[in-house]
Amino acid sequence: MKYVNAKDVLPPEIFREVQKYSGGALIYVPKQDADRIGWGQQNGAKAHVAGRNRNILDAYRSGESVIQLMHRYCLSEASIRKIIYKKEA
């Protein structure tokens, strides 16, 4: 994300008010909650991970061992078990 000079985007009266409180510090102004996009929604990562996790659970239910799944998906034993136990519950 590129920095923007507050002087260029804020009305002068608001800019002066922000200067009083910030004292020249860098300030991050997040988007409003309604405008925020959840993790992985924009680039499809969330859907990819959800699909991978479904595949892991299906393979486990079909008899594949945790060790086999670890090697196939390059995940730790703890990660595989989290996926299995979360989806089975």
Side-chain angles (χ1 to χ4, degrees):
M1 179 183 291
K2 183 180 157 218
Y3 287 106
V4 177
N5 190 330
K7 193 174 193 177
D8 296 336
V9 295
L10 297 176
E13 60 277 2
I14 295 175
F15 174 70
R16 285 191 294 277
E17 200 63 27
V18 171
Q19 275 185 317
K20 287 181 192 176
Y21 293 97
S22 69
L26 294 176
I27 298 175
Y28 170 72
V29 180
K31 289 182 178 182
Q32 293 181 349
D33 286 340
D35 296 336
R36 298 184 88 178
I37 298 174
W39 174 87
Q41 290 179 330
Q42 187 171 5
N43 65 7
K46 186 173 186 174
H48 172 76
V49 169
R52 179 205 65 189
N53 291 353
R54 277 191 304 276
N55 292 340
I56 289 171
L57 184 58
D58 290 344
Y60 180 75
R61 287 179 175 163
S62 296
E64 208 164 325
S65 73
V66 172
I67 303 241
Q68 290 170 320
L69 293 170
M70 286 170 47
H71 292 294
R72 185 181 342 161
Y73 291 96
C74 299
L75 293 171
S76 69
E77 180 179 358
S79 294
I80 296 289
R81 290 193 185 280
K82 282 181 196 175
I83 292 165
I84 292 166
Y85 296 141
K86 180 179 178 184
K87 297 287 183 175
E88 284 187 339

